[in-house]
Amino acid sequence: KQEVTQIPAALSVPEGENLVLNCSFTDSAIYNLQWFRQDPGKGLTSLLLIQSSQREQTSGRLNASLDKSSGRSTLYIAASQPGDSATYLCAVRSSNTGKLIFGQGTTLQVKP
Amino acid sequence: ETGVTQTPRHLVMGMTNKKSLKCEQHLGHNAMYWYKQSAKKPLELMFVYSLEERVENNSVPSRFSPECPNSSHLFLHLHTLQPEDSALYLCASSQAGSSSYNEQFFGPGTRLTVL
């Protein structure tokens, strides 16, 4: 059974810092991996999607990497801003079932 | 309206009430999903509809009853719920096709509180 773990559960940093969020998964049979952002009480916004054949994806200040063989992904946020404060969710899509399996998220607070 | 919309955004109901959650997608997709997000737990997939047929039911109690009248609309009918059903209910849509693993787009959710 695929399990997705995100570490840390919560993170607080001063504005301007570069930071890394971690995601690990137990079954390497994945079709893709997706990072989402969720603001309090709101829905999910897709940030980056990495296909299983890819190593990384970049969008603005965000860079996501994928190491499928070791079951790991990282989301790198450069020059963090208070507006980046949110919960970041990692989800893998199983290539066996097609299901999207989510981690519990990392709640980020960027202090001005 | 654009993307995926959900109504109501907030709902408080007693255990004996019957209510419905509505989801509408404006993306031309043909697959729709219901997820439940409880505090401190990962999102859980509840139901999947593809081409208006229910293709997945993840052992969800019968007090939750989904309905997909067309490819743009999805409902979740609720009756005799329990307090532990209080959660954020998220709807998503995607394009189903030869690759059923297409990106899902999420609505803002309905925050449900069962008293």
Side-chain angles (χ1 to χ4, degrees), chain A residues 33 35 50 55-57 63-67 72-76:
Chain A
L33 182 145
W35 283 94
I50 312 177
R55 299 284 293 186
E56 65 177 347
Q57 282 285 336
N63 176 278
S65 68
L66 173 63
D67 185 341
R72 294 183 181 180
S73 175
T74 61
L75 179 67
Y76 175 82

Side-chain angles (χ1 to χ4, degrees), chain B residues 21-87:
Chain B
L21 309 184
K22 178 182 175 183
C23 175
E24 184 173 0
Q25 59 92 5
H26 310 268
L27 300 168
H29 291 161
N30 54 18
M32 297 187 78
Y33 311 77
W34 279 117
Y35 287 86
K36 176 183 178 182
Q37 187 177 33
S38 304
K40 309 297 183 186
K41 292 176 69 175
L43 267 79
E44 302 170 66
L45 180 65
M46 300 174 72
F47 300 104
V48 181
Y49 276 82
S50 180
L51 302 173
E52 300 159 40
E53 298 270 339
R54 190 191 310 179
V55 297
E56 189 145 356
N57 174 347
N58 273 350
S59 304
V60 179
S62 60
R63 57 186 184 269
F64 294 92
S65 174
E67 178 190 2
C68 187
N70 56 60
S71 60
S72 298
H73 294 85
L74 184 66
F75 294 89
L76 188 63
H77 303 300
L78 316 171
H79 64 98
T80 53
L81 294 192
Q82 304 298 312
E84 60 265 28
D85 296 322
S86 298

